[in-house]
């Protein structure tokens, strides 16, 4: 349907969070719409106003692009006939029933294996084939967008086929579920659910950090499942040892089974992944373009997918083949868009956190070796990820002038050349900073 297509096009262009939070809640009011007017209904005034100020112009452009007819877009909060359905949408789901769906396309078959993810892949496959009998728990860790969630779902998919009871949740959902049941006095229900499944898949366990009550509850969930040989699989952005604010007894349990890491994909694997995604989405890309994307984008596969989808949307829109020039444009636009949102403060915070120094130390004049190193990394990332000039950065960091900045840049570039691990570390930090920003929006 036209309206669906337009929303889909918009989806490719805006941060996922915004789409999920706002656009997804719109429903198209077919009866009130006409050839040159599209009416959408929002579940509440807040969403309506938000979409109005931010996206009506964009939406009307997309309609016009699609149909060739200048179209005005209206966002309302009520429709006479469809009141029933909108009402239903407004009723919040209680967390008790909100168990996240497993994405059927995240399978082992659709996962491209290379040396960067081979270990995690093989471990996941063994666990999926013999749940509770090989490694328990399986703990997968690695940077943003490298396939952790995909592997969790793949384990889930394989076992749903075998009629096992599979629960997939992010640790945040687990936590919400827990507090909800505590509040309404139905904690037994919660325990019944989480302690009586065959496979418990928990995503992004690092967010358990500092949540003492949930840790306590999760500790017991873990024990109960483990004792009865039910499989537990966890993912995290870092090794359990490095998760701050996590009880020792949990850390040690996370190491009972197998810990598998995922590294950023090498060029070859990146290319293979892009080819796979094109095949799955029936998108035609020349090898030249695939190589261009693979060499010019960071390792975050989610971001790469975003670019492929955008390319596809444009080419459908103008009904033309995707050219290298188009790919170059989309990539540079994406970069500019990201640059607009990244703040120096975020870069300082991420680097400080990763290297265990204080943000204030990075901005200080300290000559301590570790701090100087961290400061250089911040400067390098700031130059790469933001449009700030060298003099502007010198000013921000209280440096004499831009030569100090260019010196720092040079030092980091030299280190990247000779130290592959250092290069990886930078890559991970970059991903974290970008991720932070996609979440904020
Ligand atoms: P993470 O959970 O590590 O942040 P995801 O599992 O969400 O990353 O992966 C991001 C996207 O990249 C997903 O759409 C996933 O299908 C895709 N992806 C990542 N690694 C691979 C791979 N090796 N093969 C195919 N797709 C991949
Ligand atoms: Mg994930």
């Amino acid at each position: 349907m036209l309206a669906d297509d337009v929303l889909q096009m918009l989806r490719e262009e805006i941060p996922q969070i915004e789409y999920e939070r706002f656009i997804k809640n719109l429903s198209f009011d077919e009866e009130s719409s006409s050839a040159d007017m599209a009416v959408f209904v929002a579940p509440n005034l807040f969403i309506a106003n938000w979409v109005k100020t931010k996206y009506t112009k964009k939406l009307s452009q997309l309609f016009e692009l699609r149909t060739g007819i200048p179209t005005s877009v209206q966002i309302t909060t009520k429709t006479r006939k469809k009141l029933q359905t909108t009402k239903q949408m407004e009723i919040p789901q209680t967390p008790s029933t909100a168990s996240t769906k497993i994405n059927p396309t995240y399978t082992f078959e659709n996962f491209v294996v290379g040396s960067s993810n081979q270990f995690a892949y093989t471990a996941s496959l063994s666990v999926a084939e013999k749940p509770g009998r090989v490694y328990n728990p399986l703990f997968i860790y690695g940077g943003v967008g490298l396939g952790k969630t995909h592997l969790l779902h793949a384990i889930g998919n394989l076992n749903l086929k075998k009629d096992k009871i599979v629960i997939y949740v992010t640790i945040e959902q687990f936590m919400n579920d827990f507090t909800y049941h505590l509040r309404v006095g139905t904690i037994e229900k919660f325990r019944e659910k989480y302690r009586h499944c065959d496979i418990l898949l928990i995503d992004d366990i690092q967010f358990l950090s500092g949540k003492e009550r949930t840790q306590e509850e999760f500790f017991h969930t873990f024990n109960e499942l483990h004792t009865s040989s039910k499989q537990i699989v966890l993912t995290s952005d870092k090794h359990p040892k490095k998760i701050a604010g996590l009880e020792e007894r949990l850390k040690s349990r996370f190491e009972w089974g197998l810990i598998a890491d995922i590294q950023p994909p090498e060029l070859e694997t990146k290319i293979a992944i892009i080819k796979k995604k094109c095949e799955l989405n029936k998108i035609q890309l020349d090898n030249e373009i695939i190589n261009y994307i693979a060499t010019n984008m960071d390792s975050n596969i989610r971001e790469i997918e975003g670019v492929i989808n955008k390319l596809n949307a444009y080419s459908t829109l103008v009904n033309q083949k995707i050219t290298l020039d188009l790919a170059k444009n989309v990539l540079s636009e994406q970069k500019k868009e990201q640059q607009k949102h990244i703040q120096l403060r975020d870069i300082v915070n991420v680097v400080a956190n990763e290297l265990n120094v204080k943000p204030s130390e990075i901005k200080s004049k300290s000559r301590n070796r570790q701090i100087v190193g961290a400061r250089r990394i911040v400067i390098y990332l700031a130059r790469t990820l933001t449009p700030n000039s060298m003099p502007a950065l010198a000013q921000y960091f209280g440096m004499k002038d831009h030569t100090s900045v260019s010196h720092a840049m040079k030092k980091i570039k030299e280190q990247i050349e000779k130290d592959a691990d250092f290069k990886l570390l930078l890559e991970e930090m970059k991903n974290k900073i970008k991720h932070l920003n996609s979440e904020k929006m």
Side-chain angles (χ1 to χ4, degrees), residues 106 110-114 117 142-151 203-204 235 262 269 273 276-277 300-302 305 435:
Y106 285 177
N110 289 344
F111 191 84
V112 176
V113 188
N117 57 30
V144 180
L146 301 183
K148 301 183 296 295
T149 298
H150 187 135
L151 285 176
D203 218 349
D204 293 322
T235 73
I262 298 195
T269 313
I273 295 175
K276 184 90 198 177
K277 296 291 169 188
N300 185 336
I301 310 293
R302 198 175 304 133
E305 278 184 330
H435 188 59

Side-chain angles (χ1 to χ4, degrees), residues 171-207:
I171 193 66
E172 249 173 331
Q173 287 163 330
F174 179 87
M175 194 149 54
N176 291 341
D177 214 0
F178 173 57
T179 38
Y180 169 80
H181 282 284
L182 264 189
R183 194 163 33 114
V184 300
T186 49
I187 196 67
E188 283 319 312
K189 261 193 173 163
F190 173 88
R191 292 187 177 142
E192 172 69 23
K193 172 176 163 190
Y194 285 97
R195 297 182 187 184
H196 294 94
C197 58
D198 297 312
I199 302 181
L200 179 60
L201 308 166
I202 300 206
D203 218 349
D204 293 322
I205 196 93
Q206 74 272 11
F207 293 125

Side-chain angles (χ1 to χ4, degrees), residues 228-284:
S228 41
S229 296
K230 303 300 187 189
Q231 183 68 47
I232 303 155
V233 188
L234 309 166
T235 73
S236 161
D237 68 344
K238 43 179 108 53
H239 191 284
K241 276 208 184 81
K242 293 203 177 146
I243 305 178
L246 187 65
E247 289 176 21
E248 282 308 318
R249 56 181 188 172
L250 277 177
K251 283 190 192 176
S252 73
R253 272 167 181 73
F254 292 171
E255 295 186 50
W256 276 358
L258 182 75
I259 300 189
D261 65 328
I262 298 195
Q263 296 294 329
E266 345 50 81
L267 186 62
E268 256 171 68
T269 313
K270 254 202 238 180
I271 291 175
I273 295 175
I274 298 177
K275 287 189 173 158
K276 184 90 198 177
K277 296 291 169 188
C278 288
E279 177 197 314
L280 288 173
N281 296 303
K282 304 198 171 52
I283 297 171
Q284 289 265 342

